Amino acid sequence: MLKIGLTGGIASGKSVVAARLAELGAVLVDADSLARDVVEPGTPGLASVVEAFGAEMLDGGGRLDRARLGAVVFGNPSQLAVLNGIVHPLVRAAAARIIATAPAGAIVVQDIPLLVETGQGSGFHLVLVVDASDDVRIARMLEHRGMTAEDARSRMAAQASREARLAAADVVLDNSGSLAEVTAQVDRLWAERLVPFARNLRRGARAVRAGMAVLSVPQQDWAVQAARLGARITAAAPDDILAVDHIGSTAVPGLAAKDVIDLQVTVSDLNAADRIAPLLAAAGFPAVPGVGFDTPKPTDPDPAQWQKRFHANADPGRPANVHVRAAGSSGWRYALLFRDWLRNDPEAAALYEDHKRALTEQFAGSRGTHAYAEAKEPWFTDVAWPRMDGWAARTGWVPPSYASRSCPPVSGDVRR
């Protein structure tokens, strides 16, 4: 199933988006609703709250007096931690029961107000953030919730900052305008991204990409996007993945590139790569058949040193390639060295960009990205390899993935 995390700051209008996704067919798991359910009269949750905070937290009918409890925990981190320690595990268990009964291939949306604060983003295929400016949210709280401006700002300050939520978002839905405007955004997202993504997951297929080789101007958030994808991949197989590195052109600041994130997943050997393949597929990165090696370089011709496993993103909204390589192998070293050479040698980056621009002009139109990629390959061997290898020798470069990690010994020339 496709797992979506939905969040947004107070008064952002998250409930409107959640309701529309449910209307379109999503299985909705509402954390706020579950948080109320798990402390209903007669539940173990309510008994634990009374034990921790006293019977005065109950109203005359034996129900939880939320306003009174809120006054106790709001602004008191230690008391809030006690309450969260009671409620959050119960909510997670209730959510798991709902998800377990969802049909195969479902799009499951978990509405979690504190998704960013609790660091749950890597557990989802996508994180949707409903956003509105601070001024709009304050105005809504004053008009619809009867709060004072001071109370509204205090509530906002108790949550993650707007900047932190946006940094965690794969998709941002702007809810500063009308209901019709945000509904239209949700409908487009559903039809153009969520439904195809869910279909690709069912089939174990990568997303279909446009056939043209087009260079994009450098995007400042490529690194942030790569970090989100890397965290998702690591969470899928934490016991076998030693590192995830952003590689390729999008990892080089200021370099024009195709808008495709390349990641290198480091494993101990290719047996581990095969072992984690179904886990990566479930996380949204299915294996791509027929791609199992890189081109050996003349000074290191052993094909075994250039073997890999190749996966790609099933999400049509974020093209990404995932190269799974054994630590210390020549292909693993080359990918890291190439990136660092380009990052640290402006002449090298300019040379590579000129080469790519010439090829995009040559292979524009119907000839597509495959021909473009094939045409680039000799340059990597004949031009890049001797220059970058010489740069590594002059600068004393070593692969960075293990330089600051405490990992088991691996083969190759990896220094610690």
Side-chain angles (χ1 to χ4, degrees), residues 151-200:
D151 286 342
R153 292 191 182 93
S154 179
R155 292 298 181 94
M156 290 167 58
Q159 296 183 328
S161 68
R162 185 183 181 201
E163 292 73 21
R165 278 192 299 275
L166 294 179
D170 296 288
V171 177
V172 177
L173 296 166
D174 180 10
N175 193 22
S176 297
S178 67
L179 175 61
E181 288 171 336
V182 73
T183 298
Q185 291 179 64
V186 175
D187 290 355
R188 285 194 301 272
L189 175 68
W190 180 266
E192 298 174 8
R193 189 166 183 177
L194 302 189
V195 170
F197 195 169
R199 182 171 59 244
N200 291 338

Side-chain angles (χ1 to χ4, degrees), residues 46-385:
L46 183 59
S48 296
V49 169
V50 170
E51 181 180 356
F53 295 95
E56 60 271 22
M57 294 299 111
L58 301 179
D59 63 18
R63 305 182 70 85
L64 183 63
D65 188 329
R66 298 181 182 280
R68 182 172 296 176
L69 180 60
V72 170
V73 302
F74 187 72
N76 188 325
S78 61
Q79 291 288 70
L80 180 60
V82 172
L83 179 62
N84 288 342
I86 296 168
V87 174
H88 286 180
L90 296 172
V91 169
R92 286 194 291 268
R97 289 192 292 270
I98 295 173
I99 294 169
T101 62
I107 298 175
V108 177
V109 175
Q110 291 188 244
D111 180 346
I112 306 176
L114 300 181
L115 184 149
V116 174
E117 292 86 341
T118 53
Q120 298 182 61
S122 61
F124 296 95
H125 293 104
L126 286 176
V127 171
L128 312 186
V129 169
V130 185
D131 182 55
S133 70
D134 290 352
D135 289 344
V136 168
R137 293 163 58 204
I138 290 171
R140 287 173 179 167
M141 284 185 271
L142 268 60
E143 180 180 356
H144 301 298
R145 305 191 185 195
M147 292 185 183
T148 65
E150 183 180 356
D151 286 342
R153 292 191 182 93
S154 179
R155 292 298 181 94
M156 290 167 58
Q159 296 183 328
S161 68
R162 185 183 181 201
E163 292 73 21
R165 278 192 299 275
L166 294 179
D170 296 288
V171 177
V172 177
L173 296 166
D174 180 10
N175 193 22
S176 297
S178 67
L179 175 61
E181 288 171 336
V182 73
T183 298
Q185 291 179 64
V186 175
D187 290 355
R188 285 194 301 272
L189 175 68
W190 180 266
E192 298 174 8
R193 189 166 183 177
L194 302 189
V195 170
F197 195 169
R199 182 171 59 244
N200 291 338
L201 279 179
R202 289 197 303 272
R203 297 174 177 175
R206 67 187 298 179
V208 176
R209 296 183 186 171
M212 296 179 63
V214 178
L215 294 185
S216 170
V217 297
Q219 305 294 314
Q220 291 187 348
D221 67 341
W222 274 337
V224 175
Q225 294 183 50
R228 282 201 302 269
L229 296 179
R232 214 160 272 156
I233 288 169
T234 301
D239 294 335
D240 283 304
I241 292 177
L242 303 179
V244 180
D245 287 285
H246 187 194
I247 60 169
S249 296
T250 60
V252 182
L255 183 64
K258 290 189 299 177
D259 187 18
V260 179
I261 301 293
D262 278 275
L263 299 170
Q264 176 165 273
V265 173
T266 302
V267 292
S268 58
D269 53 44
L270 292 182
N271 289 329
D274 293 333
R275 188 163 58 245
I276 69 174
L279 301 177
L280 295 185
F285 304 92
V288 179
V291 184
F293 61 90
D294 299 303
T295 302
K297 304 301 178 281
T299 55
D300 195 0
D302 180 5
Q305 283 291 310
W306 299 88
Q307 289 185 328
K308 68 176 180 181
R309 301 295 182 261
F310 183 66
H311 296 244
N313 205 348
D315 174 14
R318 176 62 273 169
N321 297 325
V322 179
H323 311 261
V324 186
R325 297 185 175 105
S329 67
S330 296
W332 172 84
R333 182 182 184 275
Y334 185 101
L336 296 171
L337 173 56
F338 183 69
R339 177 201 64 189
D340 290 354
W341 174 56
L342 294 180
R343 282 179 174 177
N344 290 279
D345 187 335
E347 290 185 6
L351 182 69
Y352 184 41
E353 183 167 322
D354 288 344
H355 179 61
K356 292 196 296 179
R357 289 195 183 281
L359 289 180
T360 54
E361 292 179 7
Q362 181 180 352
F363 293 98
S366 60
R367 301 181 71 180
T369 58
H370 181 71
Y372 166 82
E374 290 291 317
K376 275 201 309 183
E377 192 58 42
W379 187 89
F380 290 121
T381 300
D382 300 335
V383 178
W385 175 246

Side-chain angles (χ1 to χ4, degrees), residues 6-17:
L6 174 65
T7 195
I10 185 171
S12 63
K14 177 172 55 65
S15 60
V16 170
V17 172

